[in-house]
Amino acid sequence: CGALQYGRGRRSGFGSAAASAEAARARLHQNFENAPSFLAVLRGPELVFDLVNDAYYQLIGHRDVLGKSLWEALPEVRGQGFEALLDAVLATGIPYVGRERPIRIQRTPGATPEERFLDFVYFRFDDGDGTGHGIIAHGTDVTDHVLARREVERSSREAAAANRAKS
């Protein structure tokens, strides 16, 4: 009878550990979804969208991308240099960090792609054997910052030119 209780206790403990692990996964998923930075998980050499958070959906115009390859889901991104970057990260495992990287992306269904600027990192996640299994894209849309800085720089150049003309 004591061994049977121990067995139940073990199962109960296992169930409790499983429930705790599931609760932790749910919290992680919720944090992923609500993160202020964009996050996307792309799996396999075809770079199929596996997870995407709200900030990423906002960046891409709330398109249905889950289960689709990057190039199928966001065809306008092709030819902008991202293919080589992603291939290199997947092949080498060396992360790529982009600063104020321009991208032309469709932000509204059916609209013309617009230029945005992103700070981001692509990093590979591996299987246990070190084989690249996919890429995580994490970053921030810094378009407003870039455009504001450019406007300040333009105004500064104009002011300097006006001051030179006065002299």
Side-chain angles (χ1 to χ4, degrees):
C1 191
L4 189 55
Q5 281 182 320
Y6 178 77
R8 279 190 203 146
R10 294 284 287 178
R11 261 187 249 125
S12 172
F14 179 75
S16 177
S20 179
E22 185 56 38
R25 272 192 291 280
R27 282 191 307 276
L28 181 61
H29 187 347
Q30 183 177 6
N31 289 333
F32 178 89
E33 284 292 321
N34 296 321
S37 300
F38 66 75
L39 290 161
V41 175
L42 304 162
R43 291 200 181 268
E46 294 82 25
L47 301 173
V48 173
F49 282 99
D50 191 38
L51 291 170
V52 176
N53 74 346
D54 290 339
Y56 195 88
Y57 276 122
Q58 184 176 2
L59 176 67
I60 63 167
H62 300 279
R63 288 182 267 176
D64 180 24
V65 296
L66 292 180
K68 296 177 183 173
S69 76
L70 173 63
W71 314 119
E72 174 190 0
L74 307 175
E76 73 276 15
V77 175
R78 220 182 242 294
Q80 297 185 52
F82 293 98
E83 298 97 321
L85 297 176
L86 290 161
D87 288 346
V89 171
L90 201 54
T92 67
I94 299 170
Y96 174 81
V97 178
R99 298 275 184 230
E100 296 184 358
R101 177 78 157 75
I103 183 173
R104 295 203 54 79
I105 193 147
Q106 188 180 30
R107 304 221 33 219
T108 306
T112 302
E114 65 180 78
E115 185 172 53
R116 305 300 291 179
F117 295 89
L118 307 177
D119 282 353
F120 67 95
V121 62
Y122 290 145
F123 57 97
R124 182 176 84 177
F125 62 93
D126 298 332
D127 289 335
D129 64 359
T131 303
H133 188 67
I135 291 178
I136 296 174
H138 172 252
T140 306
D141 183 339
V142 293
T143 303
D144 293 341
H145 169 78
V146 170
L147 296 179
R149 187 187 72 242
R150 286 182 176 179
E151 180 60 26
V152 167
E153 290 167 350
R154 184 191 62 75
S155 295
S156 180
R157 283 191 306 273
E158 288 176 0
N163 285 336
R164 281 192 303 272
K166 289 180 188 178
S167 344

